[in-house]
Amino acid sequence: MQIAYTITGAINLALSFAGAALGIFAMVDAFSRRPDAFAAADKQTKGTWTGITGACGVVLCMSIVFGLFAPQTIFWLAALTGSLVYLLDVRPRLREVQSGGRW
């Protein structure tokens, strides 16, 4: 029984660190983009996305720093979802707009 708790704790710790790294990366990326790129990409404003990714990054980091919001809680999952929406939907469109396309 003790081994199961050890394995579960290790998985939770790994998920917490991975989520925090993802949240911080999304937050820094949103802060580094130009405000006009969000409008050109037909996405929400820079302020909206920096607020979303900032809040998500804080919640994801709190799972490591304070032990709050473990990976199986709804707040952690919502924060992970917000960061992933930015990284998988908004960021590629912003990169495409800022780079001027592939050709």
Side-chain angles (χ1 to χ4, degrees):
M1 193 63 143
Q2 187 68 10
I3 292 174
Y5 288 124
T6 305
I7 292 171
T8 304
I11 290 171
N12 280 340
L13 186 63
L15 287 173
S16 293
F17 274 106
L22 193 77
I24 290 170
F25 177 74
M27 182 174 53
V28 169
D29 188 74
F31 280 118
S32 68
R33 300 290 175 177
R34 293 189 337 243
D36 59 333
F38 288 87
D42 197 28
K43 301 293 177 185
Q44 295 291 324
T45 64
K46 179 178 180 169
T48 301
W49 280 110
T50 54
I52 290 170
T53 58
C56 291
V58 167
V59 169
L60 291 170
C61 287
M62 287 177 75
S63 69
I64 295 172
V65 177
F66 299 114
L68 299 173
F69 307 124
Q72 61 269 31
T73 61
I74 192 73
F75 292 117
W76 191 89
L77 291 172
L80 182 67
T81 302
S83 294
L84 286 174
V85 165
Y86 175 79
L87 291 174
L88 298 176
D89 181 43
V90 178
R91 185 174 183 261
R93 186 73 178 119
L94 292 174
R95 289 179 64 187
E96 182 180 310
V97 166
Q98 286 183 328
S99 69
R102 296 188 140 202
W103 301 99

